[in-house]
Amino acid sequence: MASLSAIGLMSGTSYDGVDVALINTDGEEIGRLGPTLYRPYDEDERAVLRQAMAAAANLAERTARPGLLADAEALVTQSHAEAVEAFLAANGMAAGDIGVVGFHGQTVLHDPDRRLTVQLGDGNALASRLGIPVVYDFRAADVAAGGQGAPFVPVFHRAMVRLLDEHRPVAVLNIGGVANLTYIDETAELIACDLGPGNALIDDFMRLRTGSPHDSEGRAAAAGRVDEAAIAHILAHPFFGKPPPKSLDRNAFHQWIAADAKLAGKSLEDGAATLTALTAAAIARAIALLPRPPASFIVAGGGIRNPVLMRMLAERVAPARVKTADAVGWAADSLEAQGFAYLAVRSLNGLPLSFPGTTGVPQPMTGGVLARP
Ligand SMILES: Nc1ncnc2c1ncn2[C@@H]1O[C@H](COP(=O)(O)OP(=O)(O)O)[C@@H](O)[C@H]1O
Ligand SMILES: [Mg+2]
């Protein structure tokens, strides 16, 4: 099949901003990895998205956009359109140079038990505005078929790892709002799952206590003490012992940082240290659920900007080696966006996006909805 220039757009559960990445691919092999761009949300935009997530908790129908959700969807579409336009301008490209855009949208609700996953973002509006075909709504078909609807980038991770000379098994770890892992061995089928809170609980705790959106460089955590008993208590939750596949809503464990919870009595520093260690421990906990312990973890996502988290992770997964995606020549901040560019081309070609071992869907399943300009 012919190779396309595909743009991927990702706005993860951290709702920090829109990542844009260009790759060339036929949906199987990865060709050139192109430039990337990040368009952060401003404070007002974040506030709207935060309210949209709260409002979406009660949705019963995935296409319904009551109240604030319609405005939030318009914001998502608009900010992504701006991001693509800025990306094209920055790289001297025109719409006609791009074969397809993979538009993930903003997840505001993820509840596969109710067969419900909701990503805000109007694919038709984006396609018309950009004059480029857009593939969107990647997760819906999987969830409708009984899959977890997440994680979705494992098939891309596998294609990327094929290009590396790394000892198997390799785990590709993405630490976004939620942390997820793809396990890649010589022969075995693709295995993947969400692992637990990535940055989401740390971010929410910091916002509650200080108003800042995250624990910059892990400074609060660095000054605190880890409450190992609290971590052991939280890890006793059945989610962490469940074998893959499994997925998590970003707010699944939100009650742990609520006013009446264990962390409430802790100082800012001790709370941040404990939540950071929890993220690392939840990742390490998953090793026992895999066929073999990974020889290395290749780590992407905003979590790599938190050196305390990276240190705790290295300690807890040893003797496995921890490498950042950048260190193996990838773009750690843009890996998910590249993944959705890859998935868009796979969708155009009718190739599977999700697999029994990644989302628990009964058969390998394609997905995504094509909007033509
Ligand atoms: N300088 C930093 N220090 C600490 N954490 C950071 C820093 N930069 C980004 N992060 C973390 O990374 C998150 C964004 O990561 P990202 O991979 O974009 O997640 P998502 O895919 O959920 O949007 C932020 O919300 C924050 O928790
Ligand atoms: Mg992000």
Side-chain angles (χ1 to χ4, degrees), residues 150-151 171-175 178-183 192-198 235 237 239-242 244-248 253 256 278-287 289-290 297 313 317:
V172 181
L173 183 61
N174 190 72
I175 311 181
V178 171
N180 63 63
L181 173 146
T182 304
Y183 173 88
C193 61
D194 283 349
L195 300 171
L235 287 188
H237 187 285
F239 175 83
F240 298 102
K242 212 174 143 238
K246 56 181 171 178
S247 72
L248 204 61
F253 295 127
W256 291 332
L278 170 64
T279 293
I283 294 165
R285 169 73 182 85
I287 293 175
L289 308 173
L290 300 171
F297 285 76
L313 181 65
V317 304

Side-chain angles (χ1 to χ4, degrees), residues 250-342:
R250 93 178 285 292
N251 290 331
F253 295 127
H254 202 263
Q255 73 275 14
W256 291 332
I257 57 169
D260 57 344
K262 272 198 161 175
L263 290 173
K266 290 198 191 305
S267 68
L268 170 71
E269 291 77 13
D270 290 354
T274 300
L275 287 171
T276 306
L278 170 64
T279 293
I283 294 165
R285 169 73 182 85
I287 293 175
L289 308 173
L290 300 171
R292 294 197 291 149
S296 61
F297 285 76
I298 301 175
V299 192
I304 70 162
R305 301 200 179 276
N306 182 334
V308 178
L309 175 56
M310 291 299 280
R311 173 174 55 74
M312 289 174 170
L313 181 65
E315 285 165 8
R316 288 179 194 250
V317 304
R321 306 219 298 148
V322 172
K323 304 178 181 184
T324 66
D326 295 311
V328 300
W330 301 355
D333 289 325
S334 312
L335 196 63
E336 294 249 299
Q338 291 170 341
F340 279 92
Y342 183 75

Side-chain angles (χ1 to χ4, degrees), residues 10-17 19 38 174-178 199-200 202-203 213-218 300-303 305-307 332-333 336:
M10 185 65 198
S11 176
T13 52
S14 302
Y15 59 101
D16 56 298
D19 292 297
Y38 176 58
N174 190 72
I175 311 181
V178 171
N199 302 303
I202 305 170
D203 287 358
H214 58 249
D215 181 12
S216 199
E217 273 66 58
R305 301 200 179 276
N306 182 334
D333 289 325
E336 294 249 299

Side-chain angles (χ1 to χ4, degrees), residues 40-351:
Y41 293 128
D42 64 29
E43 273 310 314
D44 294 342
E45 290 171 332
R46 272 190 220 184
V48 171
L49 294 176
R50 183 159 55 245
Q51 288 160 23
M53 286 180 199
N58 304 316
L59 276 184
E61 224 266 274
R62 64 182 311 279
T63 55
R65 298 289 184 265
L68 183 96
L69 288 170
D71 290 344
E73 178 151 72
L75 182 160
V76 168
T77 309
Q78 164 82 14
S79 57
H80 283 68
E82 287 171 9
V84 175
E85 286 162 1
F87 176 88
L88 294 176
N91 295 291
M93 293 176 173
D97 297 328
I98 308 299
V100 67
V101 170
F103 179 24
H104 176 270
Q106 178 65 51
T107 298
V108 290
L109 175 66
H110 184 69
D111 189 356
D113 291 345
R114 287 199 290 149
R115 299 208 170 189
L116 210 51
T117 184
V118 179
Q119 284 75 44
L120 297 184
D122 183 337
N124 286 299
L126 188 67
S128 314
R129 172 155 166 185
L130 296 175
I132 305 172
V134 169
V135 176
Y136 68 107
D137 230 352
F138 286 90
R139 302 181 192 269
D142 180 86
V143 168
Q148 288 287 310
F152 246 61
V153 280
V155 66
F156 172 70
H157 288 161
R158 179 169 64 187
M160 288 291 282
V161 168
R162 255 190 235 129
L163 304 173
L164 289 184
D165 184 22
E166 282 283 326
H167 265 297
R168 308 291 199 264
V170 174
V172 181
L173 183 61
N174 190 72
I175 311 181
V178 171
N180 63 63
L181 173 146
T182 304
Y183 173 88
I184 296 154
D185 211 340
E186 296 295 353
T187 51
E189 64 155 344
L190 204 47
I191 295 175
C193 61
D194 283 349
L195 300 171
N199 302 303
L201 284 181
I202 305 170
D203 287 358
D204 291 353
F205 179 77
M206 292 303 292
R207 197 169 45 74
L208 281 172
R209 291 291 185 98
T210 70
S212 15
H214 58 249
D215 181 12
S216 199
E217 273 66 58
R219 268 184 227 114
R225 260 188 336 191
V226 175
D227 181 346
E228 291 292 345
I231 290 176
H233 174 79
I234 293 172
L235 287 188
H237 187 285
F239 175 83
F240 298 102
K242 212 174 143 238
K246 56 181 171 178
S247 72
L248 204 61
D249 187 272
R250 93 178 285 292
N251 290 331
F253 295 127
H254 202 263
Q255 73 275 14
W256 291 332
I257 57 169
D260 57 344
K262 272 198 161 175
L263 290 173
K266 290 198 191 305
S267 68
L268 170 71
E269 291 77 13
D270 290 354
T274 300
L275 287 171
T276 306
L278 170 64
T279 293
I283 294 165
R285 169 73 182 85
I287 293 175
L289 308 173
L290 300 171
R292 294 197 291 149
S296 61
F297 285 76
I298 301 175
V299 192
I304 70 162
R305 301 200 179 276
N306 182 334
V308 178
L309 175 56
M310 291 299 280
R311 173 174 55 74
M312 289 174 170
L313 181 65
E315 285 165 8
R316 288 179 194 250
V317 304
R321 306 219 298 148
V322 172
K323 304 178 181 184
T324 66
D326 295 311
V328 300
W330 301 355
D333 289 325
S334 312
L335 196 63
E336 294 249 299
Q338 291 170 341
F340 279 92
Y342 183 75
L343 292 173
V345 177
R346 288 183 70 87
S347 172
L348 286 180
N349 292 342
L351 294 168

